[in-house]
Amino acid sequence: MELILYKNTESKLPYEMAIIITDECINCGACEPECPNNAIYEGAEEWRYADGTDLEGQVVLPNGKEVDAYEIQIPISDDIYYIVPDKCTECKGFHEEPQCAAVCPVDCCVPDENHVESDEELLAKQAFMHYK
Ligand code: SF4
Ligand code: SF4
């Protein structure tokens, strides 16, 4: 079967991408409280899988990665707000569109071509993080 990847996040086609924040971010902070997965952090802020999710202790993520949900992780960016790809579901399961992109005043929340997942994978990730 041929695998076709799509760049349009509004597409109804099966492959979607996590969202990434570009260096055009002005650090306004508008996106962070809008994320239903707590996947957005301020630059230089440490993050955890457990933050804003139901994950506790040792877990195996849907992508097979084994992690300690409570373990403090190093920031992905020191300068600007960043999104943790493992926690971003493109808002699937909560909203019709990515909420960070909807509120960003400078449109710097864009599809991350390095993190392509299907609708099913994103929904499975959402259900995995919010099972209670
Ligand atoms: Fe969070 Fe949704 Fe933005 Fe992903 S797309 S970082 S889940 S607000
Ligand atoms: Fe940066 Fe946009 Fe988030 Fe503001 S809303 S912190 S500009 S990504």
Side-chain angles (χ1 to χ4, degrees):
M1 187 179 73
E2 186 182 7
L3 178 64
I4 302 172
L5 307 181
Y6 299 96
K7 295 182 179 179
N8 182 358
T9 56
E10 293 175 2
S11 168
K12 299 300 178 206
L13 295 168
Y15 284 90
E16 306 280 354
M17 294 172 218
I19 300 294
I20 190 170
I21 294 173
T22 73
D23 59 10
E24 291 170 46
C25 172
I26 58 172
N27 285 320
C28 74
C31 55
E32 185 183 3
E34 302 302 323
C35 180
N37 294 318
N38 207 322
I40 303 175
Y41 293 82
E42 188 173 358
E45 186 184 351
E46 294 164 333
W47 65 277
R48 301 183 314 157
Y49 285 95
D51 297 336
T53 73
D54 296 332
L55 300 179
E56 301 172 320
Q58 209 69 24
V59 294
V60 180
L61 304 180
N63 63 13
K65 195 190 303 182
E66 189 172 340
V67 301
D68 178 351
Y70 297 131
E71 187 178 338
I72 292 172
Q73 310 285 340
I74 58 171
I76 293 175
S77 169
D78 286 332
D79 308 312
I80 56 173
Y81 278 74
Y82 65 88
I83 293 170
V84 176
D86 277 351
K87 296 180 76 178
C88 176
T89 62
E90 274 220 25
C91 289
K92 299 277 184 211
F94 291 107
H95 304 289
E96 289 296 312
E97 61 177 353
Q99 297 299 288
C100 51
V103 300
C104 181
V106 294
D107 294 332
C108 69
C109 300
V110 301
D112 181 356
E113 295 184 20
N114 290 319
H115 292 95
V116 180
E117 293 163 283
S118 69
D119 268 0
E120 289 71 25
E121 287 170 323
L122 291 167
L123 285 168
K125 193 199 291 189
Q126 188 268 348
F128 175 79
M129 290 193 291
H130 304 277
Y131 61 86
K132 289 184 178 173

